[in-house]
Each structure stands twice: as structure tokens, then as C-alpha cells.
Amino acid sequence: MVLPWNWKRLGSCTFFLALPGSLRTRMLQQVLHGGLRTSFSKLGHFVANHPVFFASAPVLISILLGASFSRYRIEENVEYLLAPKHSLAKIEGNLVDSLFPVNRSKHTLYSDLQTPGRYGRVIITSSGKGSMLDQQHIDLILKLHSSLTRIHVQMMGFNYTFAHLCILDNDKDCIVDDIILVLKELKAARSSNHTGPLIRYPITHLSDGREVYIGHQLGGVQTHSKDRVKSAASVQLTYYLQSINKLNDRVAAAWETKFCEAMELFQRGHGELRLYPFTSSSLQMDFQRTSKVAKRQLITSLALVGVLAVLLCSMRDCVRSKPWLGLLAMLTMSLATLTSAGIVNLMGGRYNSTFLGIPFIVLGHGLYGTFETLASWRKTREDQHVKERTAMVYADCMVPFTLTTAMYMVTFGIGASPFTNIEAVRLFCRNTCIAIFFNYLYTLAFYGSNLVFTGYLEKNYQHNVFCKKVPKPEVVQQKPAWYRFLMHTRYKDEAASSVEVNVYESHLLVCFMKRYYCDWITNTYVKPFVVLSYLVYISFALMGYLQVSEGADLSNIVATETSTIAYTTAQQKYFSNYSPVIGFYIYESIEYWNASVQEDVLEYTKGFVRISWFESYLIYLRKLNMTTGLPKRNFTDLLRNAFLRSPQFAHFSDDIIFAKKSNGEVEVVASRMFLVAKTTENKREEMYVLLDTLRKLSLTSKVKFIIFNPSFVYMDRYASSVGAPLQNSCISALFLLFFSAFLVAHSLINVWVTLTVVSVEFGVIGFMTLWKVELDCISVLCLIYGVNHTIDSCAPLISTFVLGKDYTRTKWVKNTMERHGVAVLQSYLCYTAGLIPLSAVPSNLTRTLFRCLFLIAFVTFFHCLAILPVMLTFLPPSKKKRKEKKGVENREEIECVEMVDSTRVVDQITSV
């Protein structure tokens, strides 16, 4: 660049504006980057001057705040955690409850795991090959039913039985499943040597003429021609309880406990049956059980990471080895996690099992930061003072560590915002932000101060473990072999004869990376195989990405060896032919007597198994040889005074709401019907489609209706609610990478980091699908972490390569791998060792956690140590060495920094 002849006469701002735009941007980047390095250098000096304070303060804070965690509270409401907060299903549920109380009608709104209120439920199957409708099995089922209704609970001096807690019908009798009445009729007929009543499936008729749906009470059914039942492999019984106040709810909860105990007792006494009990509290208990069964594995994981970190920080040289720093790195992350847990507890937060993933996120963030700090220490000169070395380490490592921490805070902060629709995801992201923030502070303070202490040990030639002064080599040579092995080191006079950086090559991983791996990965004959492996990686990732499925199944978050899993498996095996019972609610007055309206209503419910007062009433009119298109008054009067007063139709009175108008006329203002859809093994996916189809129909139909089932609050908007935090976090990460281009020394760094993040996330999503992991709240949280973990690991590698000059690409790839490759390898080994015990936890939640985190660690490691080193050897930025020409005017870049004081202006021109 040629400077203007009168540049000294121009003002600094005018001169700055006269420069090309790219050069101005580069100068601004260098000034900001240099300012950050200077600030952290001063911080390193400050920490080195007060190491005792910075080492003790985090410990005291952690003890004070962590002590409150000894009395933590557990979140028991699973629906509050996992159901989308803002969904149309909840609004519909409130409307339905205002018209037809859900708690009272839950026996008709059957749902698998999401039935509201208190209840006890059991699936009964035979341990042999017999039908559950055989006389022997009928007797056992009725015996079990009798024993369950006799369960009594002592509370406040009273004995409560099922009769005190059950939901009552209009005749003040306990509501029991209709299959019990069917079995009693069969038993009575066989005991009197009469032919048993004909049982149809899924809708049958009782002896009193009532038409009832038994599709969710009789399972594994084989039929004769059409719908006549030949045999049944299972029977399901449900006992619904009242929970109208706190005392009633306590008694009902105690009854559920007695219910499970009665199941175990009956199972031991009757081996010919298999019982699969389930209660309203089973899901919550089995969800929180993951924390209990994972305690031993978590302690093992912590111990493995600690031991491996000590080994990876050790080397042959007893003075320059840093085993204590490996252990203190684990202590730093443990203190940060304990502090964040104490703060959350003091803020009124409640614990749930999803929080098991937070320590592993903190571990992934902290391990690379501490190992990178140790690698930076190895690059400093030994003849410098410890304070100077610490300042250089902070200036070198803390700028990228700060930027990656900011990325964690932004991505998880977006997930912790009120825009996140699933409470479990929001709470996890909030607590993760707190833990990451304290991990960052404690790394700067606690770990940095301990780095100073070990630096003084090294400076004084004291043993890294025993802190004893290491004798001179001539003294050591006179000692026994074991003493020489323990006290092996190199003094300054020995190291002076060789290159100074070779002092640390006695570290196994440093030696491996420098002497072997760097040359191997940059070999011309190895590169094609790496590129081929990347193409294979992309192919399999794409294959999995096209098969991504949503994971709204609540059994994916509970421990495996539990009643929820056993019940869900049996339910899927025997009762997957039909969907849950869907309530079809007409919430406004319509012309039920109009023939065209009747056709519309029947058309909407066509194709479903129907339990409908409307259809039964129309059939009733036809049997009376009456037209269904009666006048309004006649239609309503016959409905109230004839149809609903017939014993076989009296139960429909709960499904119709009448209102008297000002003129004395009575009309139907709201009504409900029940629909059941025929399903296959893909029951959940079909329910999504069904819900979406009926919703669209309700918006365009002439008849205003809504549909509802308690399970809809989990299914409605689940996909968008789960995917939104990941989508928002990725967008925020991209924006942060874009706007942080001014904080890094070269904009191309952010381009490479972004491409690497996209490649890693794409691969993790694809491979986790192939590994049978669905997209649920746990996997989404792991994917958010994957964005940050990738930036953590690859940013220093890319930054060092992009900023390198004067050498070829291959040479700078080798330099980059020597500087940062060891830290990547150390953190990967420790992190993987910490994840391995997690795979042994008998829980679906931890299984998802392990698979996702392992894939993130492995794919990131694959990119950092294989893909990036090869790709950077033939992709931008260019490393061609330009020929330098004489003269100042031909130099590549010029920085102009104006320093102004009260008397003069000094323009300093610095060549870069």
C-alpha cells in the first residue's frame, strides 16, 4: 500500500477513513482482540498476586450455597414439566371441564398414561395360553376385583374403603368398568348352566340393554364372524377415585399405595395370572426414580474422570508434571455445579430427573478449558516469573474461553426464556446457564490460582506430588533406582543444551501428537481416505436425518425396570387396536332436529367407533316408526321425557346440557359424543394425524365442535415446542458468530466455525436417529449443548490456523495440532470415560442422555482431529508466501494508531 505524501499532516480519523474498507475492518478487529488480551493479561497478574484469596473464596461460596441443597424439593407434576404450556388442547380442556367436568367423566374419556385425577389400573393376562374369558380366569378376575374393593386406608382415625373414595353415578353407586358386569353375567349364566350372553367387540350390550364400549377393557381379542368375541388375551380394570380436596387426595394417594401392595400379594398367590399395575402416581415416581438408580453410576463417573484427568496431566518429569491440576479441574467443575444447585434451591426451584444432564454439560465445558490452559502453560518460557507466565496463559486462553462461555449463555439463555413452551426444557436451560457461569468464574479464579501454586512448585523444582525439593542430578544418580524414577527431572543447565520446547515432550500425548499423528494426518496418501470417510459420514447422517421422529412417548423418560414400562409394554401389546376415547363436544346450540344438520354430524363421526347419544336417539326414533326430522319441540320433548328415561339410555343424560329459554322453550345448548379410531402399531403417529385432521375440520365445519382427550395436552404442539428451543438457540448462535466477527482477529474464523457446527449437528441428529433416539426434550437439550461443545473444541484450532502466516498450509496444520490437539484428545478421553457409567443406568432418560452426549463428543472429536486438519490443507485461507519488496510502500498491511497528549500528536506506524 502506498501512503499519501502528506499523511502526517492529515488527522488520524481522516487517515483511517482513507484506508480501504477491508483494512479498516482488520485494524478494528486487531484493536479489539488486543484489548481483550491485555485485559485478561492484567487479570492473570491480579490472580497471581492474590492466589490464596482466589483459591479459598470459591470453596467458601460453594459450601455456603451448596448447604441449602441438602433440603431440595422435587417437582411431582409431570404434566407441568413435559406438557406444552401454551397449547390449544389446554384451552379446549378448560372449556370441556366447564361444560362436562373431566374429573367425573374420566372413566369415559379413557387415556393410557394421561388420565386426570387419582386412579388404580391393572392389566391382567394369563401366564399360560388360556383365554381370559374361561371360567377359571373369570373367577380369579372377580376375586381380584373383590379384594381391591375391600382395600381400606386408615387416615385420621377413620377407615376409608373404595366405596368412600370412588366416583359415583347418578344412582349413587360406585362406577366400575363395564367388563366387570360382563364377567359377572358370564359367571351367573355358567353357574346356572345357561348359555352365556353374546359378547361383541368393541361395543357390546349389557343385560339391561345398555350399549357400552369395551375396547380398552378387553385386549388381544379374537373374533368369530364380524364382531363376536371368541377369546381374549387380557383384561384391563380401572378404579377411579375422587380427589376433590387435599384430604381426599391424601387418602386417594394412600389407597394407590395399598393398591400396588395388593397387586404384589395377589401375584404371589396366583402364579397363573400376570398383573401389570399402574396408578396416577406411577409415572411421577418412575420419572424421579432415575435419580435414585443413577447415584452409584454418577459417583463412578466422577471417580473415573478424576483418575483419568490426573493421569493425562502427568508426565515423566516429576517437576513439570501437573497431576494435581487434573484433580483440581474436577474440583472446579464440582464446586460450580454445587454452587448453582444451591442458588436454584434458594430461588425456590424444584429438582427433577432431567437435571442429571447438567453436570455432564459443565464437564464438557470445563474439561477443554482447563486442558487448554495447561497446554498454554507448556508454551510459556520457564525462565519467566510465575506471574508473567500466568498472565500469558490468561491472555492466550481466556479470550476464546470467554467467547465460548458467552455462546453457552446465549444459546441456553434463549432456551430459558419465556418463549420456551415446555417447562422441563426451560428449567434445564436456566439452571445450565447458572452452572456454566459459575464454572467460568471458578476456572478464572480457583483453577487459575491453583495454576499459580503449581507454577511456584515448578519454579522451585519441587516434586509435583510430594512438594519436596528435587535434588540435583548428581545427587539423584547416587540413589536407588526407585528414587531415581520418582525424582526424574531436567534442570535448567540440562535443558539449555537442547531446544526449550522439548522439555515437555516427555508427556506421552504431546510426544504422540508431535512426532507421529501430525505427520500421519497430513500425509498425502492419508487425505483421500479421510475425505472418503467424511463422505460416508455425511451419507449415513443423511439417511438418519430423513427418518427423524418425534418422541412424545412418556415412557422414554422413566427408569426401565418400573411398573410404567411393564404396563406400557403390555398396553401396547394388547390394546393398540384402538385409540384413546376422544370426546366430540358440540359447544353451541344447533338444530339437531334438522335433517341436513343430522347428516353433517353423522358425516363428521363417520369411520369412528361411536358411543353417541345422538346416533342412538335417531335409531330409537326409527324403531318407533317416526321420522328423525321432527319439529323442534317434539324432538326435544321425546329426547327428555322418553329417550333419556329409558333404562338403557339413561346414562346418556350426562352427555347433554339442556337450557330453558326466556319463552319457556327447552333446547340442547351443548352435547358430547365419544369417538374411537381404529389404529395399528404406529398408534402415536396416527393420533398426531387424527388430531390435526379433526382440528382442521372443526375450523371449516358448519357445526362448531371441539375434540379433547387428556393425552392431547402432551401431543398438541409437542413437535414445535420441542424443536423451538433448538431452532432459536441455533439462530442465536449464528447471529452471535456473525456479530462477534469484530472480536476475533479474522472473519474467516467464524465462517469455518459455523460450517463445522452445521456438519457436527447434522451428523449427530442423523446418527442418533439410527441409534433409535427420538427427538424429545432430552435429545433437544443435548443438541443445544452440541452447538457449544463444537465451538469449544474447534474454535482454537481454526483460530490458530487462520491467523498463521509465512508457512505452508501443511506446516500450520501441524503447528495447530501440536498446540491444541493434545487438549482436544485429553478432554475427549476424560469426557468419554465419564459417560461410560451413564450407559449402565437402567433408565430410558439416561440412555437417551448417554447416546446423544457420546455422539456429540465422538463426532466433534472426529472433526477436530481428522476432518478439519485435512480440509484446511487445501481450502481457504491461503498460506502462499508472498515475496517482500523493498520499501515501506510495498508492505502488506499498516496499522495507524494515533496517540494524543497535551503537547503533541504522535503517529506510530507498525508493520504487521
Side-chain angles (χ1 to χ4, degrees):
M1 172 182 174
V2 181
L3 295 176
W5 64 271
N6 57 346
W7 66 272
K8 289 185 178 180
R9 298 181 183 179
L10 297 174
S12 59
C13 294
T14 305
F15 175 69
F16 180 78
L17 295 175
L19 296 174
S22 59
L23 188 56
R24 290 201 304 268
T25 303
R26 183 69 182 278
M27 289 172 60
L28 181 59
Q29 289 172 336
Q30 291 178 347
V31 170
L32 292 175
H33 190 70
L36 288 174
R37 288 180 59 88
T38 303
S39 300
F40 281 108
S41 177
K42 292 179 179 179
L43 177 62
H45 265 291
F46 187 71
V47 172
N49 285 327
H50 308 87
V52 177
F53 170 77
F54 285 103
S56 56
V59 177
L60 294 176
I61 294 173
S62 300
I63 292 174
L64 291 175
L65 294 177
S68 68
F69 192 65
S70 59
R71 296 182 178 180
Y72 67 91
R73 293 164 295 175
I74 296 176
E75 180 56 62
E76 298 181 354
N77 192 341
V78 178
E79 180 179 336
Y80 167 75
L81 289 174
L82 300 175
K85 292 186 297 183
H86 309 291
S87 66
L88 186 57
K90 287 193 173 182
I91 300 174
E92 292 169 343
N94 294 332
L95 176 59
V96 167
D97 198 37
S98 65
L99 297 174
F100 306 94
V102 174
N103 190 55
R104 191 174 186 278
S105 61
K106 59 187 178 183
H107 61 286
T108 49
L109 275 177
Y110 171 81
S111 183
D112 300 339
L113 298 181
Q114 299 87 15
T115 304
R118 295 282 184 179
Y119 59 90
R121 182 174 288 159
V122 59
I123 293 178
I124 310 167
T125 64
S126 174
S127 56
K129 296 183 179 181
S131 170
M132 298 305 296
L133 300 179
D134 295 342
Q135 185 62 46
Q136 178 189 4
H137 291 112
I138 290 177
D139 292 340
L140 289 175
I141 293 172
L142 294 177
K143 181 180 178 181
L144 173 63
H145 169 70
S146 177
S147 65
L148 292 176
T149 54
R150 291 198 305 268
I151 293 176
H152 64 275
V153 176
Q154 292 185 352
M155 186 78 67
M156 300 178 65
F158 294 94
N159 283 334
Y160 294 90
T161 64
F162 178 70
H164 298 97
L165 301 173
C166 67
I167 296 177
L168 304 176
D169 58 15
N170 295 330
D171 297 328
K172 304 302 180 183
D173 295 327
C174 288
I175 293 177
V176 295
D177 284 341
D178 297 313
I179 192 64
I180 292 292
L181 303 178
V182 172
L183 296 180
K184 287 182 178 180
E185 291 176 4
L186 286 174
K187 182 178 180 180
R190 288 172 181 172
S191 62
S192 59
N193 293 324
H194 292 159
T195 304
L198 182 64
I199 303 176
R200 297 185 179 277
Y201 184 82
I203 293 181
T204 190
H205 292 81
L206 301 180
S207 58
D208 58 3
R210 284 193 297 132
E211 191 177 63
V212 295
Y213 173 73
I214 58 172
H216 57 272
Q217 299 170 12
L218 206 60
V221 175
Q222 294 182 0
T223 59
H224 290 293
S225 58
K226 295 186 178 179
D227 55 358
R228 294 177 56 187
V229 175
K230 178 181 179 182
S231 64
S234 66
V235 172
Q236 180 168 228
L237 305 178
T238 307
Y239 299 87
Y240 298 99
L241 310 174
Q242 297 185 44
S243 54
I244 55 179
N245 53 52
K246 291 185 178 180
L247 175 61
N248 194 261
D249 188 71
R250 287 176 55 195
V251 176
W255 191 92
E256 288 181 354
T257 304
K258 293 279 188 178
F259 174 84
C260 294
E261 294 174 356
M263 290 292 106
E264 295 178 5
L265 184 62
F266 196 86
Q267 178 72 81
R268 287 197 296 266
H270 302 83
E272 58 269 40
L273 293 182
R274 290 180 181 174
L275 306 179
Y276 303 95
F278 184 81
T279 67
S280 65
S281 57
S282 294
L283 183 62
Q284 178 265 325
M285 293 173 60
D286 296 341
F287 173 59
Q288 300 297 347
R289 189 181 177 186
T290 298
S291 302
K292 299 178 181 179
V293 299
K295 287 182 179 178
R296 183 180 301 176
Q297 285 81 0
L298 288 177
I299 295 174
T300 304
S301 176
L302 185 65
L304 278 176
V305 174
V307 171
L308 196 57
V310 168
L311 293 177
L312 293 175
C313 291
S314 302
M315 52 190 294
R316 181 73 175 87
D317 195 314
C318 68
V319 171
R320 296 171 181 86
S321 180
K322 299 289 186 293
W324 287 116
L325 285 183
L327 192 60
L328 290 169
M330 280 300 305
L331 183 58
T332 301
M333 290 172 274
S334 301
L335 292 176
T337 306
L338 182 62
T339 303
S340 63
I343 290 176
V344 170
N345 196 49
L346 291 174
M347 291 167 57
R350 294 176 180 268
Y351 175 82
N352 67 79
S353 290
T354 60
F355 293 172
L356 286 174
I358 295 179
F360 293 95
I361 292 179
V362 175
L363 184 68
H365 175 248
L367 277 175
Y368 187 75
T370 53
F371 284 130
E372 188 68 28
T373 302
L374 190 56
S376 181
W377 177 269
R378 296 191 188 104
K379 292 188 293 183
T380 58
R381 299 201 315 270
E382 288 189 323
D383 58 350
Q384 290 179 305
H385 194 273
V386 173
K387 297 179 181 179
E388 297 296 328
R389 298 181 73 179
T390 305
M392 292 182 65
V393 169
Y394 271 64
D396 188 34
C397 292
M398 293 308 165
V399 174
F401 189 62
T402 301
L403 293 177
T404 54
T405 302
M407 187 68 71
Y408 273 92
M409 300 299 291
V410 170
T411 52
F412 281 103
I414 293 293
S417 67
F419 300 106
T420 299
N421 204 17
I422 295 182
E423 191 66 16
V425 175
R426 192 188 69 81
L427 294 175
F428 185 96
C429 292
R430 183 197 67 182
N431 297 343
T432 301
C433 283
I434 298 174
I436 290 295
F437 177 71
F438 278 97
N439 184 56
Y440 171 73
L441 293 182
Y442 287 1
T443 301
L444 291 178
F446 182 76
Y447 189 77
S449 60
N450 285 287
L451 182 66
V452 174
F453 290 137
T454 57
Y456 280 114
L457 290 178
E458 181 179 338
K459 182 177 179 62
N460 299 327
Y461 281 88
Q462 292 177 276
H463 198 279
N464 58 81
V465 177
F466 308 114
C467 303
K468 178 184 177 181
K469 179 76 174 181
V470 177
K472 291 286 186 177
E474 54 270 17
V475 178
V476 174
Q477 291 300 323
Q478 300 174 4
K479 301 293 183 178
W482 64 269
Y483 189 89
R484 293 197 303 271
F485 176 78
L486 292 177
M487 295 297 178
H488 174 77
T489 188
R490 298 178 66 180
Y491 270 78
K492 290 181 180 179
D493 50 356
E494 292 182 285
S497 59
S498 60
V499 182
E500 187 175 354
V501 295
N502 291 333
V503 174
Y504 289 100
E505 284 193 16
S506 58
H507 192 288
L508 180 62
L509 294 182
V510 174
C511 179
F512 166 76
M513 190 63 64
K514 185 173 183 179
R515 296 185 181 180
Y516 303 103
Y517 187 78
C518 291
D519 292 332
W520 179 80
I521 197 63
T522 55
N523 190 290
T524 305
Y525 299 102
V526 173
K527 292 179 184 179
F529 292 99
V530 175
V531 174
L532 180 62
S533 65
Y534 183 69
L535 295 177
V536 173
Y537 159 83
I538 290 295
S539 302
F540 278 94
L542 179 61
M543 182 172 63
Y545 187 83
L546 297 176
Q547 302 176 34
V548 172
S549 60
E550 303 161 9
D553 189 355
L554 296 180
S555 62
N556 288 338
I557 61 167
V558 300
T560 52
E561 299 174 0
T562 56
S563 60
T564 300
I565 296 298
Y567 171 82
T568 304
T569 304
Q571 206 279 335
Q572 180 66 24
K573 180 178 180 181
Y574 297 109
F575 297 93
S576 60
N577 292 334
Y578 291 96
S579 71
V581 179
I582 303 170
F584 183 90
Y585 299 86
I586 301 174
Y587 57 87
E588 67 177 13
S589 179
I590 62 173
E591 298 178 350
Y592 291 96
W593 60 90
N594 191 308
S596 63
V597 173
Q598 294 172 3
E599 290 177 2
D600 289 338
V601 174
L602 294 176
E603 181 66 26
Y604 298 151
T605 59
K606 184 179 179 181
F608 291 93
V609 176
R610 298 172 296 279
I611 309 99
S612 169
W613 71 268
F614 184 69
E615 190 171 352
S616 299
Y617 182 49
L618 296 183
I619 296 173
Y620 173 81
L621 292 176
R622 293 191 186 102
K623 287 183 178 180
L624 295 178
N625 294 322
M626 300 177 65
T627 178
T628 58
L630 295 173
K632 177 181 178 181
R633 180 182 293 274
N634 295 344
F635 186 91
T636 306
D637 289 344
L638 277 173
L639 175 63
R640 293 178 61 204
N641 302 322
F643 178 75
L644 294 180
R645 291 187 180 183
S646 300
Q648 65 267 35
F649 303 122
H651 61 284
F652 285 130
S653 59
D654 292 333
D655 300 336
I656 307 172
I657 298 178
F658 293 98
K660 183 178 289 188
K661 299 173 67 175
S662 57
N663 58 3
E665 268 192 8
V666 177
E667 66 176 356
V668 178
V669 294
S671 69
R672 68 177 177 182
M673 308 162 200
F674 297 104
L675 311 177
V676 183
K678 184 75 174 177
T679 57
T680 60
E681 293 182 356
N682 297 323
K683 182 177 179 179
R684 187 180 59 203
E685 289 77 8
E686 292 176 359
M687 286 300 297
Y688 285 135
V689 176
L690 179 62
L691 175 61
D692 186 59
T693 303
L694 290 176
R695 282 271 176 78
K696 292 178 180 178
L697 179 62
S698 67
L699 297 176
T700 59
S701 66
K702 299 177 183 178
V703 177
K704 300 302 178 184
F705 68 90
I706 58 175
I707 56 171
F708 178 74
N709 181 274
S711 63
F712 288 175
V713 297
Y714 291 91
M715 299 166 56
D716 192 19
R717 293 187 61 195
Y718 186 84
S720 60
S721 300
V722 165
L726 176 62
Q727 179 182 355
N728 295 337
S729 297
C730 291
I731 292 174
S732 62
L734 292 176
F735 270 102
L736 188 61
L737 286 171
F738 175 76
F739 288 112
S740 66
F742 293 103
L743 298 179
V744 296
H746 201 291
S747 303
L748 203 56
I749 296 174
N750 285 4
V751 174
W752 270 107
V753 169
T754 303
L755 293 176
T756 307
V757 168
V758 171
S759 179
V760 170
E761 287 292 284
F762 179 73
V764 170
I765 293 175
F767 281 99
M768 81 177 192
T769 304
L770 295 178
W771 208 354
K772 298 181 180 180
V773 176
E774 296 177 324
L775 195 65
D776 56 10
C777 61
I778 303 299
S779 58
V780 163
L781 291 170
C782 292
L783 290 173
I784 296 175
Y785 163 68
V787 174
N788 300 280
H789 182 75
T790 306
I791 298 173
D792 248 345
S793 302
C794 72
L797 291 166
I798 295 171
S799 177
T800 301
F801 177 83
V802 170
L803 297 179
K805 294 183 180 297
D806 297 334
Y807 296 110
T808 61
R809 298 174 190 268
T810 302
K811 178 61 177 176
W812 269 111
V813 166
K814 291 181 179 180
N815 291 344
T816 300
M817 297 303 295
E818 290 174 10
R819 293 184 185 183
H820 306 288
V822 174
V824 172
L825 185 57
Q826 287 173 319
S827 60
Y828 171 74
L829 292 175
C830 284
Y831 193 68
T832 306
L835 290 177
I836 289 175
L838 196 64
S839 63
V841 179
S843 170
N844 290 333
L845 188 150
T846 53
R847 181 201 63 185
T848 301
L849 198 64
F850 164 74
R851 292 182 178 182
C852 291
L853 293 179
F854 178 80
L855 284 174
I856 289 169
F858 177 76
V859 173
T860 304
F861 175 76
F862 174 63
H863 277 72
C864 289
L865 291 191
I867 302 302
L868 282 175
V870 171
M871 295 296 183
L872 289 174
T873 57
F874 52 83
L875 292 176
S878 175
K879 297 295 178 184
K880 291 182 179 179
K881 189 175 180 181
R882 297 183 177 92
K883 295 181 180 180
E884 295 184 359
K885 297 181 180 180
K886 295 181 180 181
V888 179
E889 66 274 12
N890 292 325
R891 296 188 179 180
E892 289 183 49
E893 296 175 11
I894 297 177
E895 282 187 12
C896 179
V897 181
E898 180 184 66
M899 297 179 293
V900 182
D901 58 20
S902 59
T903 58
R904 59 195 176 94
V905 176
V906 181
D907 287 330
Q908 179 184 6
I909 306 300
T910 307
S911 172
V912 178

